[in-house]
């Protein structure tokens, strides 16, 4: 299948501080693609560049065949890209249902919003139970469900997940990693950035390892998980 997202020599950072250096990768349509690496490797910066929250300093971003490097964030959402940011960032004083409605503000998402909300309640039954409850009173795992559902309310073609398991209890994180393949099954491509390398590569069709703002390894998710260099550097496992 063709790539829904392609990065060619992407550079970016904050002011004079360059974080990303010639990053090239692609997300095949209908796939889960993982970007893994240690804290400070540049993962979140890359997600912010993709979402238009940090300016592109060099290279090219092609989304669905279009160069979006100069598009504002709302233009990228309108085109079918949605970011689930690190830390979830739900609106704590709004109800679950109100948070979901906010997710459907893009023109492409408005027409089917009521039906899509019902789909979200089917995908995340706990949210149906909590639909009138203020988002700030939910557990961390429930807030992550809400953040995912709110992103899907935008009817994205590509979902960007930035450290979705961060701060979750192990049981909630396990549910999260079970949910991502179900999102792919809905026809949504996924690019997931994570520090939980083992769980992420286990569900990924393809993966990239980033170090100091550069891609240093890439391949099939399962192959990377078995790679001795990945196992030793990131999982603390040495070949016996």
């Amino acid at each position: 299948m063709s790539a829904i997202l392609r990065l060619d020599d992407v550079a970016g950072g904050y002011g004079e501080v360059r974080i990303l250096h010639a990053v090239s990768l692609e997300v095949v349509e209908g796939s889960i693609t993982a970007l893994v690496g240690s804290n400070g490797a540049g993962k979140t910066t890359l997600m912010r560049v993709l979402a238009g929250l940090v300016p592109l300093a060099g290279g090219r971003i092609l989304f669905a065949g279009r160069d979006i490097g100069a598009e504002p964030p709302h233009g990228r959402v309108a085109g079918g890209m949605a970011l689930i940011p690190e830390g979830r960032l739900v609106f704590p004083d709004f109800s679950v249902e109100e948070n979901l409605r906010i997710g459907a503000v893009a023109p492409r998402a408005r027409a089917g919003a009521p039906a899509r909300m019902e789909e979200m309640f089917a995908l995340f039954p706990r949210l149906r139970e909590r639909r009138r409850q203020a988002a700030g009173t939910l557990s961390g795992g429930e807030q992550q469900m809400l953040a995912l559902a709110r992103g899907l309310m935008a009817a994205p073609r590509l979902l960007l997940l930035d450290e979705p398991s961060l701060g979750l209890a192990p049981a909630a994180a396990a549910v999260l990693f079970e949910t991502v393949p179900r999102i792919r099954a809905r026809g949504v491509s996924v690019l997931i950035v994570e520090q939980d390398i083992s769980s992420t590569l286990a569900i990924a069709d393809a993966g990239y390892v980033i170090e100091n703002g550069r891609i240093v390894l890439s391949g099939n998710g399962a192959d990377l998980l078995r790679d001795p260099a990945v196992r030793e550097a990131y999982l603390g496992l040495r070949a016996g």
Side-chain angles (χ1 to χ4, degrees):
M1 297 183 68
S2 60
I4 190 169
L5 179 70
R6 178 175 169 180
L7 278 61
D8 294 324
D9 295 328
V10 163
Y14 305 93
E16 298 298 318
V17 180
R18 186 65 56 88
I19 304 296
L20 304 173
H21 309 277
V23 172
S24 296
L25 60 80
E26 68 176 29
V27 176
V28 173
E29 191 159 14
S31 74
I32 298 172
T33 299
L35 179 68
V36 298
S38 58
N39 189 36
K43 303 185 303 295
T44 290
T45 298
L46 181 60
M47 296 298 254
R48 290 174 178 170
V49 169
L50 292 177
L53 302 175
V54 170
L56 180 67
R60 193 170 61 150
I61 302 172
L62 296 177
F63 175 56
R66 297 185 302 109
D67 189 332
I68 63 167
E71 277 194 7
H74 67 269
R76 303 183 195 204
V77 174
M81 181 185 291
L83 170 68
I84 311 299
E86 179 184 347
R88 299 178 283 278
L89 302 184
V90 298
F91 295 96
D93 297 329
F94 291 0
S95 71
V96 165
E97 192 169 304
E98 288 167 336
N99 268 270
L100 293 178
R101 287 176 180 165
I102 290 170
V105 297
R108 64 179 283 115
R110 291 174 191 164
R116 199 172 304 110
M117 185 177 294
E118 287 303 313
E119 291 173 6
M120 293 304 100
F121 288 146
L123 185 62
F124 303 103
R126 185 63 61 86
L127 296 184
R128 186 189 296 277
E129 299 172 12
R130 305 284 195 264
R131 64 189 301 168
R132 310 293 184 196
Q133 190 170 323
T137 65
L138 301 178
S139 69
E142 290 167 345
Q143 287 189 22
Q144 187 62 69
M145 290 179 194
L146 178 56
L148 285 168
R150 185 180 62 189
L152 291 170
M153 284 295 293
R157 296 182 62 187
L158 174 65
L159 195 64
L160 307 175
L161 299 181
D162 188 8
E163 301 283 9
S165 75
L166 186 67
L168 296 186
V175 171
L176 166 73
F177 287 113
E178 292 171 359
T179 302
V180 175
R182 295 165 62 194
I183 292 173
R184 175 187 54 190
R186 295 172 56 86
V188 180
S189 306
V190 177
L191 176 60
I192 179 171
V193 156
E194 258 291 344
Q195 289 188 65
D196 185 342
I197 292 174
S198 180
S199 297
T200 306
L201 291 179
I203 63 170
D205 301 295
Y208 294 84
V209 178
I210 186 170
E211 285 184 4
N212 299 318
R214 301 180 188 275
I215 301 297
V216 295
L217 284 172
S218 65
N220 175 277
D223 290 342
L224 285 176
L225 192 53
R226 291 191 294 263
D227 188 301
V230 173
R231 292 172 64 81
E232 182 171 344
Y234 300 103
L235 304 180
L237 302 172
R238 293 179 178 273

